Amino acid sequence: MINTDTKLGIQIKPLYDFESGTWTYLLLDIKSKQAVLIDPVIENLDRDLQLIETMEYKLVATIETHMHADHITAAGELRDKSGCDSYVPHLSGASCATHFLKENDTISIGELNLKVLHTPGHTPCSISLVLNEMYVFTGDTLFVRGCGRTDFQGGSADSLYHSITKKLFSLPDDTIVFPGHDYKGFVSSTIGEEKHWNPRIANRTLEDFKSIMDNLNLPEPKKIHEAVPANRKCGKMI
Amino acid sequence: MINTDTKLGIQIKPLYDFESGTWTYLLLDIKSKQAVLIDPVIENLDRDLQLIETMEYKLVATIETHMHADHITAAGELRDKSGCDSYVPHLSGASCATHFLKENDTISIGELNLKVLHTPGHTPCSISLVLNEMYVFTGDTLFVRGCGRTDFQGGSADSLYHSITKKLFSLPDDTIVFPGHDYKGFVSSTIGEEKHWNPRIANRTLEDFKSIMDNLNLPEPKKIHEAVPANRKCGKMI
């Protein structure tokens, strides 16, 4: 079911980047043969394009959930090769893009109907994308049994707690969660599961959450000084 | 949708092992809170048990698709801890198990209805498992855009070609394929996709396929001498 919902006329294909633990999502509109990539990774450019082209789909858009610190986006290269649009969060400062996304903006491509939720916290610009009122791509806001870190790039545990508990947790419990990262071998979850069993959020007060986030002691992302400026240029430094 | 099909009363959770590239599958029967693990990996024993127990499910069965050469099963340890049944292919020689599976055997646990297909080729004992006539767990018989190797443990390219093209490809095109391994960042596929776009199988004759399989030049699996005998004892060497 992850892979196809022929009744709805769409497919969702999660694509993993082993180096950075990033999930890229390929969304397909079956009838029109149009494709969308959420958070494509530059190292997987050939894999992802080959997958799309072999199935005779046309890439029409890339969407970034935020300006990543751990990998460089393939958005610029993909636009050069396919002529697709490139969407970024309004607050990202990525003037390279063709479209800028704010709260409640919508993108409709065939039967793919995406709606933007502004979910700051991991970064101020972070967005989540609700697909057909059934799925939510949460970027680095919410992971399966985890969440994005808040200790750089203007991150805020206060904002993240609010984005998860007030905004994402307002979605129906059976909404499928597709996160921006995974490091444990998990693929997806539901809003209901994360409400009940996310160890950082379930039954935690804001103060609990801030204490957890303040004490993660994570190393700085290896690519932060390279990736963030590159991603503001859609991954193209030249 | 990968994660939950509340209309059917079941959930499917793919769980990845980063070291061996193995997919373990957790199947949940929502009403009875019973759980099944297909191809559990010993290194992930704690992760998988914690996931099941936190959600207050009871593990009632493990199922092996074949005797693995690249990782050791957690079946024995899981049985010790949870009292679950352990299913293995009839031809596996794994006398440690409690149940032995042959073509057309069925396992029913609440709304989870599994049917066994004998799909030899990667190994002579290999099976695939069809769930609720909608999903197929293909073990090392069929991967997303690939297939299991046939150069050890009695492997046979002839048998594998037959198992894939005659048996698996007889399933409906929209059957979701959950493979036993992935090394490229893919999660799942459909029978229709693999018919059309599996580079080893689509539009290939048996002779083409045998030539491809004969020239893969893969190194021997690192754990073959340890894993195969261990798996015949449900992962317990003592």
Side-chain angles (χ1 to χ4, degrees), chain A residues 129-165:
Chain A
L129 295 151
V130 178
L131 172 65
N132 293 6
E133 298 182 2
M134 295 174 62
Y135 311 90
V136 60
F137 301 92
T138 54
D140 289 11
T141 302
L142 181 65
F143 300 156
V144 181
R145 310 296 194 265
C147 64
R149 56 197 286 185
T150 53
D151 56 337
F152 56 73
Q153 270 187 283
S156 157
D158 274 89
S159 294
L160 190 62
Y161 187 82
H162 183 271
S163 290
I164 295 172
T165 60

PDB file of all heavy atoms in Angstrom, chain A residues 129-165:
ATOM      1  N   LEU A 129       3.984  18.742   4.441  1.00  0.00           N
ATOM      2  CA  LEU A 129       3.102  18.710   3.266  1.00  0.00           C
ATOM      3  C   LEU A 129       2.060  17.610   3.440  1.00  0.00           C
ATOM      4  O   LEU A 129       2.413  16.431   3.569  1.00  0.00           O
ATOM      5  CB  LEU A 129       3.941  18.431   2.012  1.00  0.00           C
ATOM      6  CG  LEU A 129       4.953  19.537   1.677  1.00  0.00           C
ATOM      7  CD1 LEU A 129       6.153  18.967   0.949  1.00  0.00           C
ATOM      8  CD2 LEU A 129       4.293  20.637   0.863  1.00  0.00           C
ATOM      9  N   VAL A 130       0.810  17.999   3.454  1.00  0.00           N
ATOM     10  CA  VAL A 130      -0.284  17.033   3.571  1.00  0.00           C
ATOM     11  C   VAL A 130      -0.734  16.652   2.164  1.00  0.00           C
ATOM     12  O   VAL A 130      -1.001  17.522   1.331  1.00  0.00           O
ATOM     13  CB  VAL A 130      -1.475  17.623   4.358  1.00  0.00           C
ATOM     14  CG1 VAL A 130      -2.630  16.619   4.419  1.00  0.00           C
ATOM     15  CG2 VAL A 130      -1.041  18.023   5.765  1.00  0.00           C
ATOM     16  N   LEU A 131      -0.779  15.350   1.894  1.00  0.00           N
ATOM     17  CA  LEU A 131      -1.171  14.857   0.569  1.00  0.00           C
ATOM     18  C   LEU A 131      -2.548  14.217   0.650  1.00  0.00           C
ATOM     19  O   LEU A 131      -2.754  13.252   1.414  1.00  0.00           O
ATOM     20  CB  LEU A 131      -0.147  13.836   0.063  1.00  0.00           C
ATOM     21  CG  LEU A 131      -0.517  13.089  -1.233  1.00  0.00           C
ATOM     22  CD1 LEU A 131      -0.598  14.053  -2.425  1.00  0.00           C
ATOM     23  CD2 LEU A 131       0.502  11.986  -1.532  1.00  0.00           C
ATOM     24  N   ASN A 132      -3.472  14.743  -0.117  1.00  0.00           N
ATOM     25  CA  ASN A 132      -4.813  14.146  -0.253  1.00  0.00           C
ATOM     26  C   ASN A 132      -5.484  13.856   1.089  1.00  0.00           C
ATOM     27  O   ASN A 132      -6.221  12.870   1.214  1.00  0.00           O
ATOM     28  CB  ASN A 132      -4.735  12.858  -1.096  1.00  0.00           C
ATOM     29  CG  ASN A 132      -4.365  13.140  -2.542  1.00  0.00           C
ATOM     30  OD1 ASN A 132      -4.048  14.284  -2.896  1.00  0.00           O
ATOM     31  ND2 ASN A 132      -4.391  12.144  -3.386  1.00  0.00           N
ATOM     32  N   GLU A 133      -5.173  14.662   2.071  1.00  0.00           N
ATOM     33  CA  GLU A 133      -5.773  14.537   3.411  1.00  0.00           C
ATOM     34  C   GLU A 133      -5.559  13.156   4.029  1.00  0.00           C
ATOM     35  O   GLU A 133      -6.266  12.765   4.959  1.00  0.00           O
ATOM     36  CB  GLU A 133      -7.279  14.879   3.372  1.00  0.00           C
ATOM     37  CG  GLU A 133      -7.530  16.314   2.938  1.00  0.00           C
ATOM     38  CD  GLU A 133      -9.003  16.689   2.932  1.00  0.00           C
ATOM     39  OE1 GLU A 133      -9.824  15.843   3.304  1.00  0.00           O
ATOM     40  OE2 GLU A 133      -9.315  17.835   2.556  1.00  0.00           O
ATOM     41  N   MET A 134      -4.564  12.411   3.528  1.00  0.00           N
ATOM     42  CA  MET A 134      -4.326  11.052   4.030  1.00  0.00           C
ATOM     43  C   MET A 134      -2.892  10.825   4.497  1.00  0.00           C
ATOM     44  O   MET A 134      -2.633   9.912   5.284  1.00  0.00           O
ATOM     45  CB  MET A 134      -4.622  10.029   2.931  1.00  0.00           C
ATOM     46  CG  MET A 134      -6.082   9.987   2.523  1.00  0.00           C
ATOM     47  SD  MET A 134      -6.337   8.901   1.105  1.00  0.00           S
ATOM     48  CE  MET A 134      -5.813   7.342   1.768  1.00  0.00           C
ATOM     49  N   TYR A 135      -1.968  11.582   3.933  1.00  0.00           N
ATOM     50  CA  TYR A 135      -0.547  11.388   4.205  1.00  0.00           C
ATOM     51  C   TYR A 135       0.048  12.736   4.600  1.00  0.00           C
ATOM     52  O   TYR A 135      -0.404  13.771   4.117  1.00  0.00           O
ATOM     53  CB  TYR A 135       0.200  10.915   2.948  1.00  0.00           C
ATOM     54  CG  TYR A 135      -0.450   9.760   2.240  1.00  0.00           C
ATOM     55  CD1 TYR A 135      -1.386   9.967   1.234  1.00  0.00           C
ATOM     56  CD2 TYR A 135      -0.109   8.453   2.574  1.00  0.00           C
ATOM     57  CE1 TYR A 135      -1.983   8.904   0.574  1.00  0.00           C
ATOM     58  CE2 TYR A 135      -0.704   7.384   1.922  1.00  0.00           C
ATOM     59  CZ  TYR A 135      -1.630   7.611   0.925  1.00  0.00           C
ATOM     60  OH  TYR A 135      -2.220   6.553   0.286  1.00  0.00           O
ATOM     61  N   VAL A 136       1.105  12.712   5.429  1.00  0.00           N
ATOM     62  CA  VAL A 136       1.823  13.954   5.699  1.00  0.00           C
ATOM     63  C   VAL A 136       3.334  13.697   5.638  1.00  0.00           C
ATOM     64  O   VAL A 136       3.846  12.759   6.243  1.00  0.00           O
ATOM     65  CB  VAL A 136       1.401  14.595   7.047  1.00  0.00           C
ATOM     66  CG1 VAL A 136       1.656  13.685   8.240  1.00  0.00           C
ATOM     67  CG2 VAL A 136       2.076  15.954   7.235  1.00  0.00           C
ATOM     68  N   PHE A 137       3.998  14.515   4.828  1.00  0.00           N
ATOM     69  CA  PHE A 137       5.457  14.476   4.714  1.00  0.00           C
ATOM     70  C   PHE A 137       5.979  15.514   5.704  1.00  0.00           C
ATOM     71  O   PHE A 137       5.745  16.711   5.522  1.00  0.00           O
ATOM     72  CB  PHE A 137       5.888  14.764   3.275  1.00  0.00           C
ATOM     73  CG  PHE A 137       5.297  13.775   2.316  1.00  0.00           C
ATOM     74  CD1 PHE A 137       4.087  14.034   1.676  1.00  0.00           C
ATOM     75  CD2 PHE A 137       5.914  12.554   2.089  1.00  0.00           C
ATOM     76  CE1 PHE A 137       3.510  13.105   0.821  1.00  0.00           C
ATOM     77  CE2 PHE A 137       5.346  11.616   1.244  1.00  0.00           C
ATOM     78  CZ  PHE A 137       4.147  11.890   0.608  1.00  0.00           C
ATOM     79  N   THR A 138       6.645  15.045   6.756  1.00  0.00           N
ATOM     80  CA  THR A 138       6.910  15.911   7.904  1.00  0.00           C
ATOM     81  C   THR A 138       8.313  16.491   7.916  1.00  0.00           C
ATOM     82  O   THR A 138       8.659  17.208   8.868  1.00  0.00           O
ATOM     83  CB  THR A 138       6.668  15.121   9.214  1.00  0.00           C
ATOM     84  OG1 THR A 138       7.441  13.921   9.184  1.00  0.00           O
ATOM     85  CG2 THR A 138       5.192  14.784   9.380  1.00  0.00           C
ATOM     86  N   GLY A 139       9.105  16.230   6.868  1.00  0.00           N
ATOM     87  CA  GLY A 139      10.462  16.783   6.841  1.00  0.00           C
ATOM     88  C   GLY A 139      11.192  16.455   8.131  1.00  0.00           C
ATOM     89  O   GLY A 139      11.096  15.328   8.635  1.00  0.00           O
ATOM     90  N   ASP A 140      11.924  17.446   8.688  1.00  0.00           N
ATOM     91  CA  ASP A 140      12.653  17.197   9.929  1.00  0.00           C
ATOM     92  C   ASP A 140      11.881  17.678  11.144  1.00  0.00           C
ATOM     93  O   ASP A 140      12.454  17.882  12.217  1.00  0.00           O
ATOM     94  CB  ASP A 140      14.033  17.862   9.878  1.00  0.00           C
ATOM     95  CG  ASP A 140      14.947  17.135   8.907  1.00  0.00           C
ATOM     96  OD1 ASP A 140      14.448  16.283   8.151  1.00  0.00           O
ATOM     97  OD2 ASP A 140      16.159  17.410   8.911  1.00  0.00           O
ATOM     98  N   THR A 141      10.571  17.846  10.987  1.00  0.00           N
ATOM     99  CA  THR A 141       9.729  18.224  12.131  1.00  0.00           C
ATOM    100  C   THR A 141       9.432  17.004  12.990  1.00  0.00           C
ATOM    101  O   THR A 141       9.656  17.012  14.202  1.00  0.00           O
ATOM    102  CB  THR A 141       8.428  18.880  11.633  1.00  0.00           C
ATOM    103  OG1 THR A 141       8.782  20.016  10.833  1.00  0.00           O
ATOM    104  CG2 THR A 141       7.532  19.315  12.783  1.00  0.00           C
ATOM    105  N   LEU A 142       8.958  15.931  12.366  1.00  0.00           N
ATOM    106  CA  LEU A 142       8.569  14.721  13.112  1.00  0.00           C
ATOM    107  C   LEU A 142       9.151  13.498  12.422  1.00  0.00           C
ATOM    108  O   LEU A 142       9.013  13.346  11.209  1.00  0.00           O
ATOM    109  CB  LEU A 142       7.035  14.616  13.156  1.00  0.00           C
ATOM    110  CG  LEU A 142       6.428  13.425  13.907  1.00  0.00           C
ATOM    111  CD1 LEU A 142       6.738  13.502  15.401  1.00  0.00           C
ATOM    112  CD2 LEU A 142       4.914  13.385  13.688  1.00  0.00           C
ATOM    113  N   PHE A 143       9.820  12.654  13.185  1.00  0.00           N
ATOM    114  CA  PHE A 143      10.319  11.374  12.678  1.00  0.00           C
ATOM    115  C   PHE A 143       9.502  10.243  13.303  1.00  0.00           C
ATOM    116  O   PHE A 143       8.744  10.461  14.248  1.00  0.00           O
ATOM    117  CB  PHE A 143      11.802  11.167  13.052  1.00  0.00           C
ATOM    118  CG  PHE A 143      12.747  12.205  12.529  1.00  0.00           C
ATOM    119  CD1 PHE A 143      13.957  12.433  13.170  1.00  0.00           C
ATOM    120  CD2 PHE A 143      12.440  12.963  11.397  1.00  0.00           C
ATOM    121  CE1 PHE A 143      14.857  13.384  12.689  1.00  0.00           C
ATOM    122  CE2 PHE A 143      13.334  13.916  10.918  1.00  0.00           C
ATOM    123  CZ  PHE A 143      14.543  14.132  11.563  1.00  0.00           C
ATOM    124  N   VAL A 144       9.714   9.006  12.808  1.00  0.00           N
ATOM    125  CA  VAL A 144       9.108   7.851  13.460  1.00  0.00           C
ATOM    126  C   VAL A 144       9.803   7.668  14.806  1.00  0.00           C
ATOM    127  O   VAL A 144      10.996   7.384  14.863  1.00  0.00           O
ATOM    128  CB  VAL A 144       9.237   6.569  12.608  1.00  0.00           C
ATOM    129  CG1 VAL A 144       8.565   5.391  13.319  1.00  0.00           C
ATOM    130  CG2 VAL A 144       8.652   6.776  11.225  1.00  0.00           C
ATOM    131  N   ARG A 145       9.055   7.895  15.890  1.00  0.00           N
ATOM    132  CA  ARG A 145       9.565   7.775  17.256  1.00  0.00           C
ATOM    133  C   ARG A 145      10.712   8.757  17.538  1.00  0.00           C
ATOM    134  O   ARG A 145      11.585   8.487  18.380  1.00  0.00           O
ATOM    135  CB  ARG A 145      10.022   6.344  17.568  1.00  0.00           C
ATOM    136  CG  ARG A 145       8.999   5.263  17.224  1.00  0.00           C
ATOM    137  CD  ARG A 145       7.733   5.372  18.058  1.00  0.00           C
ATOM    138  NE  ARG A 145       6.939   4.160  17.942  1.00  0.00           N
ATOM    139  CZ  ARG A 145       5.921   4.008  17.067  1.00  0.00           C
ATOM    140  NH1 ARG A 145       5.567   4.998  16.258  1.00  0.00           N
ATOM    141  NH2 ARG A 145       5.251   2.869  17.032  1.00  0.00           N
ATOM    142  N   GLY A 146      10.726   9.883  16.847  1.00  0.00           N
ATOM    143  CA  GLY A 146      11.745  10.898  17.087  1.00  0.00           C
ATOM    144  C   GLY A 146      11.331  12.226  16.491  1.00  0.00           C
ATOM    145  O   GLY A 146      10.165  12.424  16.118  1.00  0.00           O
ATOM    146  N   CYS A 147      12.277  13.159  16.393  1.00  0.00           N
ATOM    147  CA  CYS A 147      11.995  14.451  15.759  1.00  0.00           C
ATOM    148  C   CYS A 147      13.311  15.078  15.344  1.00  0.00           C
ATOM    149  O   CYS A 147      14.385  14.599  15.718  1.00  0.00           O
ATOM    150  CB  CYS A 147      11.256  15.380  16.729  1.00  0.00           C
ATOM    151  SG  CYS A 147      12.225  15.835  18.178  1.00  0.00           S
ATOM    152  N   GLY A 148      13.235  16.140  14.564  1.00  0.00           N
ATOM    153  CA  GLY A 148      14.437  16.848  14.148  1.00  0.00           C
ATOM    154  C   GLY A 148      15.081  17.569  15.331  1.00  0.00           C
ATOM    155  O   GLY A 148      14.424  17.874  16.330  1.00  0.00           O
ATOM    156  N   ARG A 149      16.361  17.842  15.222  1.00  0.00           N
ATOM    157  CA  ARG A 149      17.075  18.553  16.285  1.00  0.00           C
ATOM    158  C   ARG A 149      16.808  20.064  16.188  1.00  0.00           C
ATOM    159  O   ARG A 149      16.345  20.551  15.155  1.00  0.00           O
ATOM    160  CB  ARG A 149      18.569  18.222  16.206  1.00  0.00           C
ATOM    161  CG  ARG A 149      19.192  18.527  14.865  1.00  0.00           C
ATOM    162  CD  ARG A 149      20.522  17.825  14.673  1.00  0.00           C
ATOM    163  NE  ARG A 149      21.585  18.452  15.460  1.00  0.00           N
ATOM    164  CZ  ARG A 149      22.865  18.088  15.386  1.00  0.00           C
ATOM    165  NH1 ARG A 149      23.230  17.107  14.552  1.00  0.00           N
ATOM    166  NH2 ARG A 149      23.769  18.692  16.117  1.00  0.00           N
ATOM    167  N   THR A 150      17.137  20.775  17.239  1.00  0.00           N
ATOM    168  CA  THR A 150      16.781  22.198  17.292  1.00  0.00           C
ATOM    169  C   THR A 150      17.961  23.056  17.733  1.00  0.00           C
ATOM    170  O   THR A 150      17.771  24.176  18.202  1.00  0.00           O
ATOM    171  CB  THR A 150      15.614  22.409  18.280  1.00  0.00           C
ATOM    172  OG1 THR A 150      15.952  21.825  19.539  1.00  0.00           O
ATOM    173  CG2 THR A 150      14.332  21.787  17.759  1.00  0.00           C
ATOM    174  N   ASP A 151      19.178  22.515  17.558  1.00  0.00           N
ATOM    175  CA  ASP A 151      20.343  23.193  18.142  1.00  0.00           C
ATOM    176  C   ASP A 151      21.200  23.958  17.136  1.00  0.00           C
ATOM    177  O   ASP A 151      22.344  24.286  17.418  1.00  0.00           O
ATOM    178  CB  ASP A 151      21.204  22.180  18.915  1.00  0.00           C
ATOM    179  CG  ASP A 151      21.646  21.006  18.044  1.00  0.00           C
ATOM    180  OD1 ASP A 151      20.977  20.724  17.035  1.00  0.00           O
ATOM    181  OD2 ASP A 151      22.671  20.378  18.371  1.00  0.00           O
ATOM    182  N   PHE A 152      20.647  24.211  15.931  1.00  0.00           N
ATOM    183  CA  PHE A 152      21.387  25.065  14.985  1.00  0.00           C
ATOM    184  C   PHE A 152      20.407  25.666  13.996  1.00  0.00           C
ATOM    185  O   PHE A 152      19.202  25.346  14.038  1.00  0.00           O
ATOM    186  CB  PHE A 152      22.498  24.288  14.265  1.00  0.00           C
ATOM    187  CG  PHE A 152      22.015  23.061  13.539  1.00  0.00           C
ATOM    188  CD1 PHE A 152      21.281  23.164  12.347  1.00  0.00           C
ATOM    189  CD2 PHE A 152      22.288  21.790  14.027  1.00  0.00           C
ATOM    190  CE1 PHE A 152      20.828  22.033  11.675  1.00  0.00           C
ATOM    191  CE2 PHE A 152      21.831  20.660  13.363  1.00  0.00           C
ATOM    192  CZ  PHE A 152      21.114  20.789  12.185  1.00  0.00           C
ATOM    193  N   GLN A 153      20.902  26.539  13.120  1.00  0.00           N
ATOM    194  CA  GLN A 153      20.062  27.126  12.054  1.00  0.00           C
ATOM    195  C   GLN A 153      18.783  27.768  12.591  1.00  0.00           C
ATOM    196  O   GLN A 153      17.722  27.658  11.975  1.00  0.00           O
ATOM    197  CB  GLN A 153      19.635  26.032  11.057  1.00  0.00           C
ATOM    198  CG  GLN A 153      20.582  25.819   9.899  1.00  0.00           C
ATOM    199  CD  GLN A 153      19.952  24.839   8.898  1.00  0.00           C
ATOM    200  OE1 GLN A 153      19.942  23.622   9.124  1.00  0.00           O
ATOM    201  NE2 GLN A 153      19.425  25.353   7.799  1.00  0.00           N
ATOM    202  N   GLY A 154      18.878  28.417  13.733  1.00  0.00           N
ATOM    203  CA  GLY A 154      17.691  29.078  14.282  1.00  0.00           C
ATOM    204  C   GLY A 154      16.660  28.123  14.827  1.00  0.00           C
ATOM    205  O   GLY A 154      15.480  28.466  14.946  1.00  0.00           O
ATOM    206  N   GLY A 155      17.065  26.890  15.146  1.00  0.00           N
ATOM    207  CA  GLY A 155      16.138  25.896  15.700  1.00  0.00           C
ATOM    208  C   GLY A 155      15.568  26.338  17.037  1.00  0.00           C
ATOM    209  O   GLY A 155      16.211  27.094  17.773  1.00  0.00           O
ATOM    210  N   SER A 156      14.367  25.852  17.344  1.00  0.00           N
ATOM    211  CA  SER A 156      13.703  26.225  18.594  1.00  0.00           C
ATOM    212  C   SER A 156      12.860  25.058  19.089  1.00  0.00           C
ATOM    213  O   SER A 156      11.925  24.621  18.402  1.00  0.00           O
ATOM    214  CB  SER A 156      12.805  27.442  18.351  1.00  0.00           C
ATOM    215  OG  SER A 156      11.776  27.497  19.335  1.00  0.00           O
ATOM    216  N   ALA A 157      13.201  24.559  20.272  1.00  0.00           N
ATOM    217  CA  ALA A 157      12.422  23.452  20.853  1.00  0.00           C
ATOM    218  C   ALA A 157      10.993  23.904  21.151  1.00  0.00           C
ATOM    219  O   ALA A 157      10.050  23.134  20.973  1.00  0.00           O
ATOM    220  CB  ALA A 157      13.105  22.936  22.117  1.00  0.00           C
ATOM    221  N   ASP A 158      10.844  25.148  21.577  1.00  0.00           N
ATOM    222  CA  ASP A 158       9.487  25.678  21.807  1.00  0.00           C
ATOM    223  C   ASP A 158       8.644  25.573  20.538  1.00  0.00           C
ATOM    224  O   ASP A 158       7.516  25.080  20.554  1.00  0.00           O
ATOM    225  CB  ASP A 158       9.552  27.160  22.195  1.00  0.00           C
ATOM    226  CG  ASP A 158       9.755  27.354  23.674  1.00  0.00           C
ATOM    227  OD1 ASP A 158      10.937  27.394  24.073  1.00  0.00           O
ATOM    228  OD2 ASP A 158       8.770  27.453  24.407  1.00  0.00           O
ATOM    229  N   SER A 159       9.204  26.094  19.448  1.00  0.00           N
ATOM    230  CA  SER A 159       8.455  26.084  18.179  1.00  0.00           C
ATOM    231  C   SER A 159       8.179  24.665  17.713  1.00  0.00           C
ATOM    232  O   SER A 159       7.089  24.363  17.216  1.00  0.00           O
ATOM    233  CB  SER A 159       9.254  26.807  17.090  1.00  0.00           C
ATOM    234  OG  SER A 159       9.380  28.162  17.391  1.00  0.00           O
ATOM    235  N   LEU A 160       9.175  23.780  17.865  1.00  0.00           N
ATOM    236  CA  LEU A 160       8.996  22.414  17.383  1.00  0.00           C
ATOM    237  C   LEU A 160       7.887  21.711  18.166  1.00  0.00           C
ATOM    238  O   LEU A 160       7.039  21.013  17.582  1.00  0.00           O
ATOM    239  CB  LEU A 160      10.310  21.627  17.493  1.00  0.00           C
ATOM    240  CG  LEU A 160      10.298  20.263  16.805  1.00  0.00           C
ATOM    241  CD1 LEU A 160      10.078  20.393  15.302  1.00  0.00           C
ATOM    242  CD2 LEU A 160      11.594  19.497  17.059  1.00  0.00           C
ATOM    243  N   TYR A 161       7.891  21.890  19.464  1.00  0.00           N
ATOM    244  CA  TYR A 161       6.850  21.279  20.311  1.00  0.00           C
ATOM    245  C   TYR A 161       5.464  21.747  19.858  1.00  0.00           C
ATOM    246  O   TYR A 161       4.534  20.949  19.718  1.00  0.00           O
ATOM    247  CB  TYR A 161       7.102  21.654  21.771  1.00  0.00           C
ATOM    248  CG  TYR A 161       6.202  20.940  22.758  1.00  0.00           C
ATOM    249  CD1 TYR A 161       6.488  19.643  23.181  1.00  0.00           C
ATOM    250  CD2 TYR A 161       5.077  21.572  23.290  1.00  0.00           C
ATOM    251  CE1 TYR A 161       5.674  18.988  24.097  1.00  0.00           C
ATOM    252  CE2 TYR A 161       4.255  20.924  24.209  1.00  0.00           C
ATOM    253  CZ  TYR A 161       4.567  19.638  24.611  1.00  0.00           C
ATOM    254  OH  TYR A 161       3.761  18.995  25.520  1.00  0.00           O
ATOM    255  N   HIS A 162       5.365  23.039  19.612  1.00  0.00           N
ATOM    256  CA  HIS A 162       4.080  23.604  19.174  1.00  0.00           C
ATOM    257  C   HIS A 162       3.694  23.052  17.800  1.00  0.00           C
ATOM    258  O   HIS A 162       2.539  22.665  17.572  1.00  0.00           O
ATOM    259  CB  HIS A 162       4.170  25.129  19.141  1.00  0.00           C
ATOM    260  CG  HIS A 162       2.878  25.785  18.771  1.00  0.00           C
ATOM    261  ND1 HIS A 162       2.535  26.052  17.452  1.00  0.00           N
ATOM    262  CD2 HIS A 162       1.833  26.197  19.518  1.00  0.00           C
ATOM    263  CE1 HIS A 162       1.334  26.611  17.432  1.00  0.00           C
ATOM    264  NE2 HIS A 162       0.886  26.715  18.660  1.00  0.00           N
ATOM    265  N   SER A 163       4.660  22.998  16.877  1.00  0.00           N
ATOM    266  CA  SER A 163       4.361  22.508  15.517  1.00  0.00           C
ATOM    267  C   SER A 163       3.878  21.062  15.550  1.00  0.00           C
ATOM    268  O   SER A 163       2.951  20.687  14.827  1.00  0.00           O
ATOM    269  CB  SER A 163       5.609  22.608  14.628  1.00  0.00           C
ATOM    270  OG  SER A 163       5.907  23.966  14.342  1.00  0.00           O
ATOM    271  N   ILE A 164       4.528  20.246  16.382  1.00  0.00           N
ATOM    272  CA  ILE A 164       4.139  18.828  16.437  1.00  0.00           C
ATOM    273  C   ILE A 164       2.807  18.662  17.174  1.00  0.00           C
ATOM    274  O   ILE A 164       1.875  18.047  16.665  1.00  0.00           O
ATOM    275  CB  ILE A 164       5.241  17.982  17.130  1.00  0.00           C
ATOM    276  CG1 ILE A 164       6.521  17.997  16.284  1.00  0.00           C
ATOM    277  CG2 ILE A 164       4.758  16.548  17.341  1.00  0.00           C
ATOM    278  CD1 ILE A 164       7.728  17.348  16.961  1.00  0.00           C
ATOM    279  N   THR A 165       2.724  19.223  18.372  1.00  0.00           N
ATOM    280  CA  THR A 165       1.552  18.906  19.213  1.00  0.00           C
ATOM    281  C   THR A 165       0.298  19.669  18.786  1.00  0.00           C
ATOM    282  O   THR A 165      -0.808  19.147  18.908  1.00  0.00           O
ATOM    283  CB  THR A 165       1.834  19.187  20.702  1.00  0.00           C
ATOM    284  OG1 THR A 165       2.148  20.578  20.859  1.00  0.00           O
ATOM    285  CG2 THR A 165       2.975  18.335  21.219  1.00  0.00           C
TER     286      THR A 165
END
